[in-house]
Amino acid sequence: GPDGPVAVISYPFWQRRFGGAPDAIGRTLSIDRATFTIVGVAARGFSGPEVGRSADILLPLRTEDLVRGRESLLDQRLSWWLNVMLRLRPDQTLAQAAAQLHGVQDQIRLATMPADGKDLRERYLVDRFTLVPASSGRSALRARYELPLQALMVVVALVLLIACANIANLLLARATARRHELGVRLALGASRFRLSRQLLAESVLLAAAGGALGLLFARWGSRALVAQLSTAANQVHLDLPLDWRVLSFTLVVCAATAILFGVAPALTVSSLSPNDALKERGRGGSGERRAGVRQALVVLQVALSLMLVVTASLFTRSFISLTTRDAGFDRRGVLIASVTLREPADLRLAGFERLREAVAASPGVATAATSFTTPVARAGWNTRIVVAPDSPLGPRERMSWVNAVSPGWFATYGIRLTGGRDIDGRDRPGSPRVALVNRAFARRFLKEPNPIGQRFSEQGPSGEGEQFEVIGIVEDTVYRSLRAPMEPIMFLPTTQWDRPGTTIALGVRSAGAPPLSLIGSVGDAIRRTDPTASVTYFTLSSQLDASLAQDRLLATLSTFFGGLALLLASLGLYGVTAYSVTPRRAEIGIRMALGANRAAVVRMVLARVGLLVAIGLTIGIGASAWASRFLASFLYGFKASDPVMFAAAALVLAGVAGVAGWLPARRAARVDPTIVMREV
């Protein structure tokens, strides 16, 4: 702007920082030693261009170099960080805009050509621009959670189907038990339409009550879901209101379910004969002859419930496999301080080293070390290693992850040094470049039992780049993701780091106290050393937990819905069994009067329940084996078709179904034959 750098602030920041005062316009903010004048407040409800992330301050793109200084990314050809949004003309379609963009793509690509590597430049030139609608915003959350949430939507649909089958079954059984009542109503002049309307009204009432309770649960559940996505280092901001779209969807689902599970009982009235219904008073048989639909619904519930229990078991086992995986480092007792310095680039490394020494001398600190990144931080730096021309390794296989670390870093993170030496005072700026490598690096690139003293080179923009001497070997560790295999990693001394950023990770191992208790002493040491430094604290354990947010969400929600499906199936089986034995009271009483004992009656009832459950389990296992193929990409540490998981889920469901069927069977066996015979 003509009066210097300007900024627009968000509505929440305006309320929080300035109390909503109108004179906030014109005030200044200091951001990384640059002064910005506030010229506007964003509309209430606008949180930034990316869904899920909230921006307090919005700056003009051209002022990025004022904040970053010489580390500005505006003309960094190998940095990708910029998102471009455009507004179409009213008469322009997305396809027309894409065609125009493709027409100038060559000029844009040539003007922004990266300088590193011929193959990278070739891919950059041919990679086509694409345009996508921005109506739903841009979101990294969408890319990360789209497929998992689609899988969970299928799970939710199956639970809804089980609930519909359950209610339809219970209402159908109830209608069968009410055949005498309905027959009396017909005999007294009630029309079949009126009785059908009554049964449908009962179904609609159930659906409306369930939908209302569901909306109340959704208000709490949406907040709990967003809380599951948020981590200490990355807070997710999502507004999930119950707007007209949500309410309309709920209304449609309630209406559909009411029709779905209300039609079957209403149809029984159309075929009901008043004379037959009155004759069936006190006798079984006719109700049993109409039990085929109810039995089919029980089989459907069991099959779908098994699918959901298998899904929950797979996701839960995958989550447990990830949480118990040996990642190669010790996550306990480590506090991480993400420190940002205002020092110029040439003074930054010395500033980081002063911070490390000050923190290492603080009370309660066992060791302290700095690094470019930390394990499973979702931040990475990789390079290509030079190999022999006849090497079978492809371009991707020649990549190695890189980390810059200070002395004591391996001890701080509990990574075992298996050969050679650690980084120390000998590794100074200007001295020969050295590196420690992990076992995966040694196996892939060095291929000798003792690689200490060997040299290797990284591939630079114009061919072979710098050369490094291997001074140590460390155990394999996870770099970016717990799901990834142990990949090659090279560790460089921070003292020889020629591209330090403004932020560094300061890892602190506690001498025994909880790591969060060190925040006070560590913060005091940082403030004494550099009062202008900004710091964010979190533990290594919380960082690992945050990396498993997606797997935790899948495991938690699938377990919840699997348990719900199990509960619905058991309630449905219990209700249907209870209703089915009611018309058979006379038969059971006669059997017991003729000498049948209670155990025989229980076995008779359970035999039918067991047959239905066995058929449902057989169908469910086949359906689960087919559906598990689509879950393979979400799992870790085992195959989706693991027979142990299928067998365990089937045993759990069979056990629950057995208990649900045994309770009404036991009550039926307590029938007094003398009382029943008087009722016949």
Side-chain angles (χ1 to χ4, degrees):
D3 299 323
V6 299
V8 172
I9 60 176
S10 70
Y11 185 90
F13 185 78
W14 180 46
Q15 296 293 321
R16 187 171 64 249
R17 181 72 175 267
F18 301 100
D23 62 353
I25 306 298
R27 296 192 191 183
T28 59
L29 293 171
S30 178
I31 303 174
D32 285 345
R33 296 183 177 179
T35 301
F36 291 81
T37 302
I38 300 174
V39 295
V41 178
R44 186 174 187 174
F46 176 74
S47 58
E50 183 172 350
V51 178
R53 297 183 65 183
S54 179
D56 282 331
I57 305 171
L58 299 145
L59 306 178
L61 177 64
R62 197 61 192 88
T63 61
E64 189 263 358
D65 57 347
L66 293 179
V67 176
R68 293 184 181 269
R70 283 182 288 180
E71 284 80 31
S72 173
L73 299 176
L74 285 177
D75 196 34
Q76 290 293 323
R77 303 299 179 92
L78 289 178
S79 295
W80 52 95
W81 61 282
L82 190 64
N83 299 303
V84 179
M85 301 177 71
L86 56 93
R87 181 173 295 280
L88 304 181
R89 296 194 308 268
D91 61 339
Q92 190 178 34
T93 66
L94 196 66
Q96 291 171 342
Q100 291 182 348
L101 183 62
H102 294 157
V104 295
Q105 172 167 319
D106 291 344
Q107 296 95 304
I108 296 175
R109 291 294 195 189
L110 289 171
T112 56
M113 172 80 74
D116 189 18
K118 178 182 177 182
D119 56 341
L120 178 61
R121 292 195 297 269
E122 290 176 350
R123 291 201 309 272
Y124 184 74
L125 287 175
V126 300
D127 188 20
R128 290 176 66 82
F129 286 131
T130 57
L131 293 181
V132 295
S135 56
S136 58
R138 179 188 177 274
S139 176
L141 286 176
R142 185 180 302 123
R144 184 178 179 186
Y145 288 100
E146 184 174 14
L147 288 179
L149 289 179
Q150 286 177 357
L152 286 174
M153 282 297 291
V154 175
V155 169
V156 171
L158 292 178
V159 172
L160 180 62
L161 187 57
I162 292 173
C164 291
N166 197 349
I167 300 299
N169 215 346
L170 293 176
L171 289 180
L172 196 58
R174 184 167 178 263
T176 302
R178 295 173 62 188
R179 285 176 59 81
H180 179 76
E181 172 201 341
L182 297 175
V184 171
R185 289 174 180 268
L186 285 173
L188 293 177
S191 66
R192 297 180 188 274
F193 175 74
R194 183 172 182 177
L195 294 182
S196 300
R197 189 175 58 190
Q198 175 187 339
L199 295 176
L200 276 174
E202 294 174 356
S203 301
V204 171
L205 182 61
L206 283 174
L213 290 175
L215 286 174
L216 293 177
F217 180 79
R219 290 186 63 86
W220 169 85
S222 61
R223 291 191 291 268
L225 181 63
V226 173
Q228 286 279 326
L229 302 179
S230 296
T231 64
N234 183 25
Q235 292 294 316
V236 174
H237 300 270
L238 285 176
D239 185 21
L240 302 178
L242 296 179
D243 58 10
W244 67 269
R245 292 168 296 183
V246 176
L247 295 176
S248 299
F249 177 77
T250 305
L251 180 63
V252 170
V253 170
C254 288
T257 52
I259 295 173
L260 184 63
F261 63 66
V263 165
L267 289 178
T268 61
V269 177
S270 63
S271 60
L272 180 64
S273 171
N275 292 332
D276 293 340
L278 293 174
K279 291 176 183 178
E280 291 171 7
R281 177 65 173 173
R283 296 176 175 84
S286 179
E288 289 301 312
R289 288 193 299 269
R290 296 175 175 85
V293 175
R294 300 202 305 271
Q295 292 174 359
L297 289 174
V298 168
V299 170
L300 176 65
Q301 288 184 69
V302 172
L304 294 178
S305 298
L306 180 63
M307 291 181 64
L308 296 182
V309 173
V310 167
T311 300
S313 302
L314 292 175
F315 284 144
T316 302
R317 182 179 172 185
S318 178
F319 178 65
I320 293 174
S321 298
L322 287 168
T323 55
T324 57
R325 181 189 179 185
D326 182 9
F329 53 85
D330 186 2
R331 62 186 290 177
R332 299 166 297 179
V334 178
L335 176 71
I336 300 173
S338 178
V339 185
T340 301
L341 295 185
R342 312 293 188 235
E343 299 280 357
D346 54 345
L347 302 177
R348 202 169 292 151
L349 286 178
F352 288 142
E353 183 60 19
R354 287 195 301 271
L355 286 177
R356 185 187 72 83
E357 293 173 350
V359 170
S362 301
V365 175
T367 60
T370 56
S371 61
F372 160 73
T373 187
T374 56
V376 199
R378 304 189 73 86
W381 164 19
N382 58 12
T383 188
R384 186 167 294 166
I385 304 302
V386 176
V387 296
D390 58 348
S391 173
L393 298 177
R396 287 185 176 274
E397 295 172 311
R398 283 181 269 163
M399 299 300 295
S400 171
W401 292 109
V402 186
N403 198 1
V405 302
S406 70
W409 190 83
F410 299 103
T412 300
Y413 287 90
I415 301 172
R416 192 163 64 92
L417 186 70
T418 61
R421 67 172 179 88
D422 197 353
I423 296 168
D424 56 29
R426 289 170 284 181
D427 309 312
R428 300 182 303 274
S431 62
R433 301 296 299 270
V434 298
L436 286 89
V437 299
N438 66 347
R439 290 184 174 273
F441 187 101
R443 286 192 300 269
R444 181 175 298 183
F445 300 115
L446 304 178
K447 300 184 183 301
E448 289 192 14
N450 184 17
I452 304 299
Q454 291 191 49
R455 296 179 180 275
F456 66 89
S457 300
E458 67 173 344
Q459 182 175 327
S462 58
E464 187 170 334
E466 292 193 79
Q467 195 173 73
F468 301 89
E469 178 185 350
V470 178
I471 62 171
I473 303 291
V474 298
E475 286 289 354
D476 289 335
T477 60
V478 171
Y479 189 85
R480 290 193 67 185
S481 170
L482 284 171
R483 286 180 170 270
M486 297 297 186
E487 299 173 296
I489 308 174
M490 54 184 287
F491 300 91
L492 309 179
T494 52
T495 51
Q496 297 180 342
W497 192 14
D498 57 0
R499 36 187 159 176
T502 58
T503 302
I504 202 165
L506 175 58
V508 181
R509 177 164 290 278
S510 166
L516 290 176
S517 66
L518 299 177
I519 291 179
S521 59
V522 170
D524 289 341
I526 293 175
R527 282 190 294 271
R528 287 195 305 268
T529 306
D530 188 343
T532 66
S534 59
V535 192
T536 303
Y537 299 97
F538 51 92
T539 64
L540 181 59
S541 294
S542 67
Q543 183 164 280
L544 262 68
D545 291 341
S547 71
L548 297 174
Q550 173 182 312
D551 301 277
R552 184 183 299 107
L553 179 69
L554 284 173
T556 301
L557 293 183
S558 63
T559 300
F560 170 76
F561 289 120
L564 183 60
L566 202 60
L567 177 63
L568 289 173
S570 60
L571 290 177
L573 193 59
Y574 171 84
V576 170
T577 305
Y579 272 121
S580 66
V581 298
T582 299
R584 301 180 64 187
R585 281 169 50 85
E587 174 193 346
I588 293 172
I590 293 173
R591 287 176 179 271
M592 296 185 69
L594 294 176
N597 56 30
R598 292 182 176 179
V601 173
V602 171
R603 285 196 300 271
M604 178 188 68
V605 176
L606 285 180
R608 179 168 297 184
V609 173
L611 178 61
L612 297 178
V613 171
I615 296 173
L617 291 179
T618 302
I619 297 174
I621 288 176
S624 299
W626 171 80
S628 63
R629 299 178 302 168
F630 303 100
L631 303 178
S633 61
F634 301 117
L635 306 179
Y636 173 82
F638 62 97
K639 293 183 178 180
S641 57
D642 187 355
V644 176
M645 304 301 296
F646 287 76
L651 286 175
V652 169
L653 187 55
V656 172
V659 173
W662 175 77
L663 291 174
R666 179 171 172 266
R667 187 169 63 250
R670 292 183 174 181
V671 169
D672 188 343
T674 58
I675 296 177
V676 172
M677 296 301 290
R678 292 194 194 105
E679 294 176 354
V680 177

